[in-house]
């Protein structure tokens, strides 16, 4: 019985580019964190003073944004410091999805509280001081829009960066909540429709909750090592079996970070070749930087 094993980590140009992307994302997150923290403090204080549930809810969500951005910053720092720590089999890249998952759970909890408080205000309205509430809501919308704009392009260009995506969604959700707050306050002030304030909070809660659930699902797939692309095993199999006598016995693929995929391949071959041969057949597959190949002599002649 012949076994051949090989495990490689290819971090060349791709690894440098990935580190540059993470460094830029971290700088943008710091900028968003500072702006968001200032806006959050203003909205929470004036929301309590004015009595506006929509404004207070917006400020509360901004507080969760500041916390979520803090989680994102910690994740980037942790991944950077442990990039070459041998205690982590494939590096610390999964901290990215773990941070995204934690942020999404936080978003879901804030959404539940927002929905509960808004529903309560429908049955027990609170007097609202419209002047300060509207002024601060507009400022909050501006802060959230600017912060979200900073992260927008990078978040869409790096769809698998769940850490950055979570921070971006928190800010986008907060901008939406601010928009609902402004509309509700204007409607209550000029039309006497005070019920618009808590209804604005409920609508915001529904939208944000949907985003949170989707992000939880995306992060869970990475944390539970789900196959990142259902079509990828077939692509790899086609490449590996292009030569007579070679057959793939098993392929395992999972995501080890938002930049990298890992795979373990077990081959059967009538004429076993070095693992490097099979790895070369997989060259060029985006993100596939960690490959382990095991080769066995074929137990029986291949037919036809």
């Amino acid at each position: 019985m012949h076994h051949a094993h090989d495990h490689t980590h290819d971090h060349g140009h791709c690894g440098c580019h990935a580190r540059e992307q993470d460094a830029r994302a971290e700088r943008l997150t710091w900028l968003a964190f500072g702006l968001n923290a200032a806006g959050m403090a203003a909205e929470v204080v004036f929301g309590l003073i004015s009595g506006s549930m929509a404004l207070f809810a917006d400020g509360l969500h901004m507080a969760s944004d500041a916390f979520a951005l803090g989680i994102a910053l910690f994740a980037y720092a942790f991944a950077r410091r442990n990039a070459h720590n041998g205690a982590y089999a494939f590096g610390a890249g999964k901290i990215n999805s773990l941070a995204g998952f934690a942020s999404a759970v936080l978003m879901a909890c804030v959404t539940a509280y927002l929905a509960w408080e808004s529903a309560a205000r429908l049955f027990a309205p609170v007097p609202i001081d419209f002047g300060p509430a509207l002024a601060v809501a507009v400022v909050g919308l501006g802060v959230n829009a600017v912060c979200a704009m900073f992260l927008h392009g990078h978040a869409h260009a790096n769809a698998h960066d769940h850490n950055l995506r979570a921070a971006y969604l928190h800010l986008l959700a907060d901008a939406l909540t601010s928009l609902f707050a402004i509309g509700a306050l204007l409607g209550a002030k000029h039309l006497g429709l005070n019920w618009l304030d808590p209804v604005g909070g409920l609508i915001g809660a529904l939208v944000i909750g949907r985003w949170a659930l989707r992000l939880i699902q995306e992060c869970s797939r990475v944390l539970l090592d789900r196959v990142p692309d259902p079509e990828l095993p077939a692509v790899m199999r086609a490449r590996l079996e292009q030569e007579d006598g070679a057959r793939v016995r098993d392929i395992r693929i999972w995501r080890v970070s938002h930049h990298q995929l890992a795979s373990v391949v077990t081959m059967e071959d009538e004429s076993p070749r070095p693992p490097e041969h099979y790895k070369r057949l997989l060259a060029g597959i985006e993100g596939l930087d960690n490959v382990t190949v095991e080769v066995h002599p074929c137990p029986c002649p291949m037919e036809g």
Side-chain angles (χ1 to χ4, degrees):
M1 178 72 68
H2 171 74
H3 291 82
H5 304 269
D6 188 60
H7 186 196
T8 66
H9 296 270
D10 179 13
H11 299 296
H13 173 73
C14 181
C16 293
H17 181 62
R19 286 192 293 272
E20 290 173 2
Q21 286 183 324
D22 285 348
R24 183 168 184 267
E26 187 174 355
R27 289 193 298 270
L28 291 172
T29 304
W30 268 114
L31 182 58
F33 177 79
L35 289 173
N36 188 266
M40 172 269 295
E43 286 207 348
V44 168
V45 171
F46 281 96
L48 290 172
I49 292 175
S50 68
S52 169
M53 184 57 215
L55 182 58
F56 176 70
D58 190 31
L60 189 65
H61 196 272
M62 284 190 78
S64 77
D65 289 347
F67 187 69
L69 289 167
I71 292 175
L73 290 169
F74 167 78
Y76 283 126
F78 184 89
R80 184 177 64 251
R81 291 172 185 172
N82 292 276
H84 304 290
N85 188 340
Y88 300 95
F90 292 98
K94 276 196 176 182
I95 188 68
N96 181 284
S97 292
L98 183 60
F101 183 88
S103 292
V105 171
L106 174 64
M107 190 187 301
C109 291
V110 171
T111 297
Y113 176 74
L114 173 57
W116 175 269
E117 285 296 320
S118 297
R121 294 294 177 95
L122 276 173
F123 299 100
V126 174
I128 299 173
D129 187 351
F130 294 106
L134 276 167
V136 178
V138 170
V139 171
L141 175 61
V143 169
N144 289 314
V146 170
C147 292
M149 183 181 66
F150 285 148
L151 300 184
H152 172 79
H154 206 71
H156 282 279
N158 299 276
H160 294 299
D161 187 343
H162 292 132
N163 189 33
L164 184 63
R165 179 171 166 77
Y168 171 70
L169 282 180
H170 269 275
L171 293 169
L172 193 61
D174 211 8
L176 181 65
T177 310
S178 295
L179 201 58
F180 282 139
I182 293 171
L185 288 168
L186 287 174
K189 179 180 180 181
H190 297 291
L191 302 176
L193 305 175
N194 290 341
W195 53 268
L196 281 177
D197 186 67
V199 167
L202 284 172
I203 295 174
L206 289 174
V207 175
I208 297 166
R210 184 170 178 269
W211 289 346
L213 179 60
R214 184 178 301 174
L215 185 58
I216 287 173
Q217 291 173 335
E218 291 177 5
C219 293
S220 297
R221 293 188 185 106
V222 176
L223 296 174
L224 295 175
D225 293 331
R226 181 171 175 171
V227 176
D229 182 353
E231 297 180 1
L232 187 54
V235 172
M236 293 174 63
R237 184 180 295 272
R239 290 192 182 197
L240 292 166
E241 294 182 342
Q242 61 184 284
E243 296 175 336
D244 292 338
R247 185 175 73 86
V248 174
R249 180 189 292 180
D250 187 48
I251 295 180
R252 302 288 174 176
I253 311 166
W254 67 99
R255 186 172 291 281
V256 295
S257 77
H258 57 290
H259 297 300
Q260 295 176 302
L261 302 175
S263 179
V264 175
V265 179
T266 304
M267 294 293 302
E268 289 182 353
D269 203 331
E270 289 181 351
S271 303
R273 283 153 277 208
E276 290 82 0
H277 168 78
Y278 304 97
K279 290 191 303 165
R280 281 195 293 270
L281 297 176
L282 300 176
I285 294 179
E286 184 178 0
L288 189 59
D289 295 336
N290 299 274
V291 181
T292 300
V293 178
E294 182 176 287
V295 188
H296 300 263
C298 186
C300 58
M302 300 289 289
E303 296 183 2

